[in-house]
């Protein structure tokens, strides 16, 4: 890859720091074209490509920043086009999953609601345990269709889900959606998940019952037989 490619990316980040969004987009478009031309005959993974820029961030981080920049600029068609190009360009693995989610979010944002539903529903069938995917879908549904969001919660956010940093935000979002629907019973269940699961597995102290014979030394330490001391 040429030094020009690296220059486009670095200059784009510098322009972004100066709030020159359009200039950043122009530079990154040129950089992406060079990358696409280089890889068009060889489909590889982000891991294979590695941090081959020779600087941070990695190529996957740059591409995610590029998509996010389009999203913030409300260029939703560009989000969809770039995300799909990335999915076509690189080997399918977890590192490209964010770009599938971005397509669904862009579809919602541009008002293609039914197409967004179809996109997310298909992804959930394939990745039913992906917390980031579920969270993104619920975030889109929260204001648009809370009843559908409730159905997604009940199907994909079980109360048995382990409570940790990854699931904390998802449980909070689920609770907020259910609160808006005034489903107090479910709200109570989902807001108590962290309390229930934090106590799960905690062992209660076991008190061992000691049996003392009447002629045994008294356990109080007096030196007398039990029947002459505490066993009277």
């Amino acid at each position: 890859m040429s030094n020009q490619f690296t220059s486009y990316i670095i200059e784009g980040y510098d322009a972004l720091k100066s709030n020159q969004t359009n200039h950043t987009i122009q530079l990154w478009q040129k950089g992406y074209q060079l990358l696409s031309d280089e890889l068009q005959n060889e489909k590889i993974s982000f891991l294979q490509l590695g941090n081959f820029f020779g600087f941070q961030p990695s190529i996957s981080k740059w591409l995610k920043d590029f998509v996010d920049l389009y999203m913030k600029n409300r260029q939703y068609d560009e989000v969809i086009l770039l995300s799909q190009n990335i999915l076509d360009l690189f080997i399918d693995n977890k590192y490209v999953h964010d770009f599938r989610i971005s397509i669904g979010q862009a579809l919602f944002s541009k008002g293609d609601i039914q197409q967004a539903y179809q996109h997310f529903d298909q992804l959930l069938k394939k990745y039913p345990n992906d917390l980031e995917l579920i969270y993104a879908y619920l975030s889109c549904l929260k204001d648009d269709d809370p009843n559908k969001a409730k159905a997604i919660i009940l199907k994909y956010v079980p109360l048995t889900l382990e409570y940790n940093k990854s699931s904390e935000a998802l449980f909070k979002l689920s609770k907020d959606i259910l609160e808006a629907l005034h489903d107090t019973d479910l709200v109570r269940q989902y807001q108590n998940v962290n309390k229930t699961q934090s106590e799960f597995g905690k062992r209660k102290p076991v008190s061992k019952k000691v049996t003392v014979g009447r002629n045994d030394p008294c356990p109080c330490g007096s030196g007398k037989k039990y029947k002459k001391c505490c066993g009277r």
Side-chain angles (χ1 to χ4, degrees), residues 157-176:
V157 191
L159 293 168
T160 54
L161 181 66
E162 181 183 353
Y163 187 87
N164 52 37
K165 279 191 174 182
S166 299
S167 62
E168 182 179 8
L170 181 57
F171 277 119
K172 184 181 183 306
L173 177 59
S174 299
K175 180 182 74 71
D176 291 345

Side-chain angles (χ1 to χ4, degrees), residues 13-97:
Y13 276 111
D14 289 341
L16 193 59
K17 290 176 184 176
S18 303
N19 294 318
Q20 300 177 52
T21 302
N22 291 334
H23 187 43
T24 297
I25 289 174
Q26 290 171 4
L27 289 166
W28 284 0
Q29 284 173 337
K30 292 176 181 178
Y32 183 78
Q33 188 59 56
L34 288 176
L35 177 66
S36 180
D37 290 345
E38 182 75 17
L39 300 179
Q40 61 180 340
N41 297 321
E42 183 180 5
K43 196 166 186 176
I44 64 174
S45 70
F46 282 139
L47 285 178
Q48 288 173 303
L49 198 57
N51 295 327
F52 109 156
F53 291 149
F55 70 94
Q56 289 297 328
S58 66
I59 190 166
S60 57
K61 175 67 167 58
W62 164 59
L63 289 172
K64 188 68 174 72
D65 288 343
F66 195 1
V67 169
D68 288 345
L69 185 58
Y70 273 141
M71 187 73 81
K72 289 174 185 175
N73 219 34
R74 299 185 179 182
Q75 294 176 258
Y76 303 125
D77 287 331
E78 284 80 358
V79 170
I80 295 168
L81 181 61
L82 178 57
S83 296
Q84 190 57 59
N85 282 340
I86 291 168
L87 292 170
D88 293 338
L89 193 61
F90 291 95
I91 291 173
D92 187 358
N93 57 31
K94 65 179 181 179
Y95 296 101
V96 300
H97 192 56

